[in-house]
Structure formats: structure tokens, C-alpha cells
Amino acid sequence: MPNPWTGIGNPYTKQEVVDRLKATLAKGEPIIAAGAGTGISAKFIEKGGADLIIIYNSGRFRMMGHGSTCGLMAYGDANAIAMEIGEYEVLPVVKEIPVVCGVHATDPRRRMWHWLGRVKEMGFSGVNNFPTHTIVDGHFRGVLEETGMSVEKEFEMVGLATRMDLFSIVYVATPEEAIKMAKNGADAVIAHVGTTVGGSIGVVNAVVDWDHTVKVSQDIIDAAKSVNPNIFTLTHGGPINTPKDVEYILSKTTADGFVGASSLERMGVEDSLTTLTREFKKVPKP
């Protein structure tokens, strides 16, 4: 059945999003996906030429001045927050590029087939697994796995999204997770190497190990490609913070691009508002 919305922006079919990203790579450009927690962020991220916008519940906390880790805590309904940001702020102002909705797949209160239907109906072109348990480790990760909030729920959500013709771009932290996501039909995997370093509320005590970042990223890329050679692969987190950092990681891996949330939206606001305010303060008083 043809897509009745073709040519007028969101929503796009899964194949239409894939074709757009292929066209970006064919031009010799990296794929750049950006998180947006407010309408004005989304509006000007689109103006800057991003290929995708992703709505995270953490974006609301970022733009309130708090750390992105708030998105992993019990500070609200993650699915409802992402939907609200999309419905009332982002989708009304984004004119042309695909918008992806963050989905908390392990929320036991959601019938995932029903929720993804609402996501699609709202006009989102795809889904992302956030909040994600892939970035939780140690004893707590074990508890989650044993008590019905397993990362397997995220794999299942992606498989369901694939059947519903929703594009999926997903976080993974290990090659094994990349393989499972690819087998469930993920269109793009994001190698998540940890919380973004830097800025006013980024982590400061993390070890910034570029060798580790490069190796983990490439291992995840290779694992995903072993299942689907055509899958898109992107990088995110850790020391990958600035355009120079992205240039470096892309030169050292075979990644297709980068996903920026804190490193694009939050740090862009922090720097520009600080600099602009200082310029105003320099105005002499007659």
C-alpha cells in the first residue's frame, strides 16, 4: 500500500528513511542524528542539516539543566514524556526530516504493540530504545534481567517495530547486543560507549580512553554487519563530544555517522548562551 504522506514530511515509511540515509552517505556525508528535548532545538537542528531527530525523555531533563542520567531514573513516565515532547513541541515545527520516538520497551505497564501503534499514529517515522538497559551493568543489571525487565524486551520491541514498518535506530553496548538487534530487523545500531564527557553537567571523572572507544565501537559495528551488511552504524558517548571528536572516531572506524544528544543540544545551548550573555555584558554604559 503506498504511503499517502509521501512528499510532505513526517511520517516516513521504514524504507523511505533508509533511502534518505543512503542518499546522505552517497553524497560523502556522515549521518548525523540529534536528540531534541524542545521544539526550538528541533527547529534549528533541522535547519543545521541533521538527518534524523530523536526524542528522548532525557532531553526534557537536559533542557531543564539536569544530567541525562535522569532519563534512566523514576522521575516520570519515560514513554509519556517522549510522546508529549514529540506531539506538542517537535512534530509541529519539524518540516522535513524524519523524527524518531524514544521507547522504554521494558516498561511492564505498556502493551508494546499498542504503544507502537500510537507512536506511528502520532507521526513519528521510527523508534529508538531509550531509556535502555543496555547501558546498565553490574549487579543491578542482573536484577533487572531476573525480574522481568530484561533487555530482551528491547529486542522484541525492535522486532515488533520492524513488522509495523517503523524505522529503528538502537543503542547497544556490546557486540552480542548488536547481533540480536540486527537479527530483529534494526535498521541502524548506535555503539554506546558510555555517558558523554564534558559540558557543565557531563561526567568528569570517567576515563577518556580513545583506544577503548575505537575498539568497542568497531567491534559493535563488525558484529552488526555480520548479520546485515547493509545496516547503518553510528557512534555515541564517552569522549566523542565535538565535531573534531566525531571526525576522529569516523577516521578510526567504519561507522557511518554519529548520534549527538548532550554533545549537540545541551552543549550547544551552554556555549552559545554563555558567550552571548558575556557579549551583552561587555556593552558599555554611557
Side-chain angles (χ1 to χ4, degrees), residues 260-276:
S262 294
S263 55
L264 203 156
E265 183 182 37
R266 172 173 62 82
M267 293 184 192
V269 170
E270 289 176 359
D271 181 63
S272 62
L273 290 184
T274 301
T275 301
L276 184 60

Side-chain angles (χ1 to χ4, degrees), residues 29-52:
E29 299 175 0
I31 296 168
I32 300 297
T38 65
I40 195 166
S41 297
K43 186 174 185 177
F44 288 95
I45 285 169
E46 178 177 39
K47 189 173 182 179
D51 298 287
L52 294 171

Side-chain angles (χ1 to χ4, degrees), residues 105 112 116 150-163 180-181 184:
M112 198 45 57
L116 292 186
S150 169
V151 73
E152 291 289 337
K153 299 279 188 183
E154 298 180 32
F155 305 146
E156 292 169 6
M157 182 273 288
V158 170
L160 186 56
T162 298
R163 286 154 51 197
K180 289 186 177 180
M181 283 296 196
N184 277 280

Side-chain angles (χ1 to χ4, degrees), residues 221-240:
I221 291 167
D222 292 341
K225 294 279 190 182
S226 72
V227 177
N228 177 9
N230 297 316
I231 199 168
F232 299 106
T233 57
L234 300 101
T235 61
H236 175 82
I240 313 168

Side-chain angles (χ1 to χ4, degrees), residues 11 13 60 69 74 76 85 94 97-98 109 111 127 137 150 156 161 168 175 177-178 234 239 249 261-262 283:
T13 66
R60 170 154 293 171
T69 308
I85 294 171
V94 171
I97 64 176
R109 304 165 301 170
R111 295 167 294 159
V127 296
D137 57 17
S150 169
E156 292 169 6
S168 56
E177 291 166 351
L234 300 101
I249 193 70
S262 294
V283 173

Side-chain angles (χ1 to χ4, degrees), residues 236-254:
H236 175 82
I240 313 168
N241 185 7
T242 67
K244 284 288 187 183
D245 298 333
V246 174
E247 182 179 0
Y248 180 80
I249 193 70
L250 295 186
S251 73
K252 296 296 183 179
T253 67
T254 58

Side-chain angles (χ1 to χ4, degrees), residues 96-176:
E96 199 268 334
I97 64 176
V99 179
V100 171
C101 185
V103 174
H104 192 191
T106 59
D107 186 341
R109 304 165 301 170
R110 300 286 181 185
R111 295 167 294 159
M112 198 45 57
W113 62 269
H114 178 258
W115 184 249
L116 292 186
R118 289 187 61 189
V119 167
K120 189 171 184 178
E121 183 183 49
M122 185 53 62
F124 290 99
S125 299
V127 296
N128 168 258
N129 61 324
F130 194 89
T132 175
H133 293 182
T134 64
I135 58 175
V136 179
D137 57 17
H139 175 72
F140 185 51
R141 172 67 177 270
V143 171
L144 292 172
E145 296 293 324
E146 291 178 16
T147 53
M149 290 165 278
S150 169
V151 73
E152 291 289 337
K153 299 279 188 183
E154 298 180 32
F155 305 146
E156 292 169 6
M157 182 273 288
V158 170
L160 186 56
T162 298
R163 286 154 51 197
M164 295 175 71
D165 197 36
L166 281 163
F167 176 83
S168 56
I169 176 170
V170 297
Y171 285 116
V172 297
T174 68
E176 293 75 22

